[in-house]
Amino acid sequence: MKAVCWFGKNDVRVEQVPDPKILNPRDAVIKITTTAICGSDLHLHNGYVPTMQKGDILGHEFMGEVVEVGDAVKNLKVGDRVAVPFTIACGSCFFCQQQLWSLCDNSNPNAWMLEKVYGYSGSALFGYSHMYGGYAGGQAEYVRVPFADVGPVKIPEGLDDEQVLFLTDIFPTGYMAAENCNIQPGDTVAVWGCGPVGQFAIKSAYLLGAERVIAIDKVPERKRMAEEHGKAETLDFDDQDIFDKLKEMTGGRGPDSCIDAVGLEAHGKTIDAVVDRAKAAMFLATDRPHALREAINACRKGGTVSIPGVYGGFLDKIPFGAAFAKGLTFKMGQTHVHRYLRPLLERIQKGEIDPSFVITHRMRLDDAPAGYEIFKHKQDNCIKIVMKP
Ligand SMILES: [Zn+2]
Ligand SMILES: [Zn+2]
């Protein structure tokens, strides 16, 4: 089959690789009908994630048709159309039982690698390095889905791929980020980053009852999407001091919650951002947490900082004193996608949201190397790319 493979920093190629097979009775093989490039795939493309190996198949946002099931998979049959969570979960361990699916204890055969760095390992992920399990991803013609009796959700008739594909990651990720804010009626939510996850965080904040969402970015087309589709007010961080502006817009109190949908590769012009870039370039720091610092500083006393943006290592100059002094609550982590699949599918069915609004580019899988470049450099007003084999 054809698959998008990682060969190093800035080097992805479409290669011929062996078809996946059932290895375990709880596996299924899915024929991919639509897949996407995610912002977190760019961390791989930029060489930020260790334990990648040449030839690894990328992709963790994908859906398709079941073509083969293992003996133990009773809930799926050949021909079913499914969307597959990017986190892999067994469904029966302590963490899965508590709905903490992205912390599954059983899905990562290389848990020891993450344990060395983090003490304990979270769940495995599709197409996201060997420390996250080394599972082949779904930017391919076929993919093996482990624990297929637990993860994939069947898609009812009448919904097209583009409406449901983002149930696999970015819609639940934005939704969980908003849910983590414990939004109360009248709340103002500030969102750093108007990429796809930021867009879904904005929409979800309103779905969960926010009165006002203020979104921060500098890319014109992302801001436009946040305004037109998300009904957010937007701020350009190149134009003004974000802290001062947010304070002014909230009557001197600050936003009730702040969502950092940027993560480890934040851009900024302030001194700390420039220092981050220099240190990351010299391997002295592992992340560039400029957006997070700003979110912590801007958040009102007693508010919540919610972090769907991905961080990997040791964060420098985090104003923890400010967080303590203001009594902030922090919520973060890999999305518990399994928890949100069905409720969010229902919201799509009811017409409360059509996630396809984020798609700006449609491509063939063969064009993935160009797609990564376009997406990374935000060329051609690109916000989200979907691909079909
Ligand atoms: Zn993703
Ligand atoms: Zn589990």
Side-chain angles (χ1 to χ4, degrees), residues 281-330:
M282 294 186 295
F283 303 102
L284 293 172
T286 50
D287 302 75
R288 303 199 307 248
H290 171 69
L292 180 57
R293 287 185 198 117
E294 213 163 62
I296 292 170
N297 283 326
C299 195
R300 77 150 162 84
K301 293 186 282 183
T304 299
V305 173
S306 165
I307 312 169
V310 175
Y311 288 95
F314 299 91
L315 271 55
D316 198 19
K317 295 192 187 59
I318 291 302
F320 216 74
F324 181 86
K326 294 194 291 179
L328 300 184
T329 299
F330 283 82

Side-chain angles (χ1 to χ4, degrees), residues 26 88-97 100-107 123 147 150:
R26 293 175 69 186
I88 303 171
C90 77
S92 46
C93 71
F94 172 85
F95 296 96
C96 287
Q97 289 291 305
L100 300 170
W101 305 89
S102 72
L103 304 174
C104 175
D105 246 349
N106 285 328
S107 59
S123 78
F147 302 115
V150 175

Side-chain angles (χ1 to χ4, degrees), residues 37-41 60-61 86 128 168-170 173 197 384:
I37 305 177
C38 177
S40 61
D41 289 328
H60 59 265
E61 298 178 355
F86 79 98
Y128 216 81
T168 60
D169 178 358
I170 53 175
T173 297
V197 169
K384 187 73 182 179

Side-chain angles (χ1 to χ4, degrees), residues 43-169:
H43 304 322
L44 304 171
H45 198 252
N46 290 335
Y48 268 87
V49 182
T51 73
M52 288 295 290
Q53 292 173 11
K54 286 189 192 330
D56 283 351
I57 300 173
L58 297 171
H60 59 265
E61 298 178 355
F62 56 86
M63 61 178 298
E65 191 185 310
V66 177
V67 290
E68 206 181 341
V69 290
D71 293 340
V73 179
K74 304 296 181 200
N75 58 321
L76 296 179
K77 58 180 193 313
V78 170
D80 282 345
R81 206 169 139 239
V82 293
V84 182
F86 79 98
T87 49
I88 303 171
C90 77
S92 46
C93 71
F94 172 85
F95 296 96
C96 287
Q97 289 291 305
Q98 298 195 57
Q99 301 276 306
L100 300 170
W101 305 89
S102 72
L103 304 174
C104 175
D105 246 349
N106 285 328
S107 59
N108 186 355
N110 298 330
W112 65 271
M113 293 185 185
L114 281 180
E115 284 166 2
K116 270 191 169 169
V117 196
Y118 298 149
Y120 302 94
S121 169
S123 78
L125 311 175
F126 284 101
Y128 216 81
S129 82
H130 288 265
M131 66 185 182
Y132 282 102
Y135 291 97
Q139 289 168 5
E141 288 181 290
Y142 296 90
V143 67
R144 177 177 76 96
V145 175
F147 302 115
D149 52 333
V150 175
V153 63
K154 277 193 236 182
I155 302 302
E157 297 273 325
L159 294 171
D160 62 40
D161 279 20
E162 292 188 356
Q163 287 175 288
V164 293
L165 173 64
F166 303 134
L167 286 171
T168 60
D169 178 358

